[in-house]
Amino acid sequence: MNRFLSAATITAVGLTCKAFCTAGLASLSVHGLENLQAALHSERRLRQQGIVTVSNHISTLDDPVTWAALPASYYLKSRLTRWTLGASDIMFTNPVFSTFFRYGQVLETFRGQGIYQPAVDTAIEKLDKGDWVHLYGEGKVNQPETYPTKDGRAVLPRFKWGVGRILSSTVNTPTIIPMWITGFDKLMPEGRPFPNKYLPRIGTRLSVTFGNPLSADEIKNVIERLSAQKELVCNPVELERRIRIEITDVVHRAVWALGRSVAGDSLVLEPCRNPPR
């Protein structure tokens, strides 16, 4: 019964978002989807190798509108749809919301409770079963106009260390796919007064780009290199902390690099620019 209700919830939301885009209320450009599809249909998943997608987070509608990029047939199968972590104080504020988001494959996450909490543990368990988990590495919405700059370039805010904990704790290193989204900050800007704050802007141009998967060796090399340092081996707590930090940095650099390849140094897609496949 739970599987049916979950599939029904995801299908209803997915089709609504897809209809919103295909009806011309917003335009959605999708690039590199084959990278995700190859991972989702890979035989490695039968050997319990999960998939992690990681993207920037620029609006409260990033999830679910981003997944209008998927073929509609995917919505009916939980193995072809993402699990994600969602803030308890935003998504699980009453019984109706809690039920809706749980059936929508969202794991309730408590801000301030760190990387050792049930939602993070469950994400690791999902990956060890070969499932797909999507992460917003920044841990909160950051609108592009508020990005800090360095040497004239916009800087992607640092990622939370939970990314590193999840990726370093799985039995098999997951397939890691960086993503970059643009336009969603215009679709649902932060800071608008009621009731506009709850209404998407019509006619917004959106893009979703799936990058090439990271090499699993990048993650393994971090673990092996740090594990070979004697001063860290004698201090397992510090070793684990350093592994989390460096793995998170690897993923952060990959997402940031994809963002620059799509949108340039501003990290904002210009109307005349076409994202790479």
Side-chain angles (χ1 to χ4, degrees), residues 23-277:
L25 300 178
S27 64
L28 177 62
S29 300
V30 183
H31 309 271
L33 179 59
E34 65 274 8
N35 293 326
L36 176 62
Q37 290 178 305
L40 289 173
H41 296 287
S42 170
E43 291 185 2
R44 291 190 296 272
R45 299 189 73 193
L46 301 178
R47 300 192 294 271
Q48 285 71 55
Q49 182 183 36
I51 299 167
V52 172
T53 49
V54 189
S55 78
N56 56 322
H57 196 7
I58 55 177
S59 127
T60 54
L61 284 184
D62 294 349
D63 194 303
V65 177
T66 294
W67 310 121
L70 297 176
S73 60
Y74 282 32
Y75 303 144
L76 295 170
K77 299 178 181 179
S78 63
R79 290 279 285 182
L80 297 178
T81 51
R82 97 290 172 264
W83 289 84
T84 193
L85 282 65
S88 177
D89 59 340
I90 295 176
M91 298 182 177
F92 296 84
T93 54
N94 61 60
V96 175
F97 282 8
S98 297
T99 300
F100 173 78
F101 285 112
R102 287 195 178 98
Y103 283 133
Q105 296 185 183
V106 178
L107 305 175
E108 184 176 10
T109 309
F110 296 89
R111 290 174 172 171
Q113 293 192 11
I115 61 176
Y116 295 98
Q117 58 173 295
V120 178
D121 294 337
T122 301
I124 294 168
E125 292 171 5
K126 294 291 182 186
L127 291 170
D128 283 338
K129 295 177 182 177
D131 287 335
W132 166 22
V133 173
H134 179 72
L135 302 175
Y136 292 104
E138 298 150 275
K140 64 177 182 178
V141 170
N142 285 297
Q143 303 267 264
E145 64 266 21
T146 66
Y147 282 175
T149 59
K150 182 178 181 181
D151 300 327
R153 296 174 174 176
V155 177
L156 179 65
R158 76 172 183 86
F159 284 178
K160 302 298 185 182
W161 292 351
V163 174
R165 197 231 154 177
I166 289 171
L167 295 176
S168 65
S169 300
T170 54
V171 175
N172 298 309
T173 300
T175 299
I176 305 166
I177 300 176
M179 291 176 55
W180 193 260
I181 59 176
T182 68
F184 290 79
D185 55 308
K186 306 300 181 185
L187 180 66
M188 186 67 82
E190 295 284 294
R192 291 186 298 168
F194 178 86
N196 290 336
K197 65 182 298 183
Y198 298 111
L199 301 174
R201 285 178 171 172
I202 303 302
T204 307
R205 297 179 62 181
L206 312 173
S207 79
V208 178
T209 302
F210 299 89
N212 294 319
L214 275 66
S215 169
D217 289 340
E218 290 190 66
I219 305 301
K220 294 176 182 177
N221 290 342
V222 168
I223 297 174
E224 291 175 358
R225 174 171 52 79
L226 293 176
S227 298
Q229 297 182 18
K230 292 182 180 180
E231 69 275 15
L232 294 178
V233 173
C234 295
N235 187 341
V237 174
E238 178 62 14
L239 172 61
E240 185 177 353
R241 189 184 76 88
R242 289 278 297 277
I243 288 174
R244 290 198 305 266
I245 291 173
E246 292 209 21
I247 289 177
T248 301
D249 285 345
V250 167
V251 178
H252 179 270
R253 288 194 297 270
V255 175
W256 187 4
L258 179 63
R260 288 182 58 195
S261 74
V262 169
D265 288 343
S266 69
L267 298 182
V268 178
L269 185 67
E270 299 298 333
C272 61
R273 185 184 294 271
N274 294 317
R277 292 188 63 81

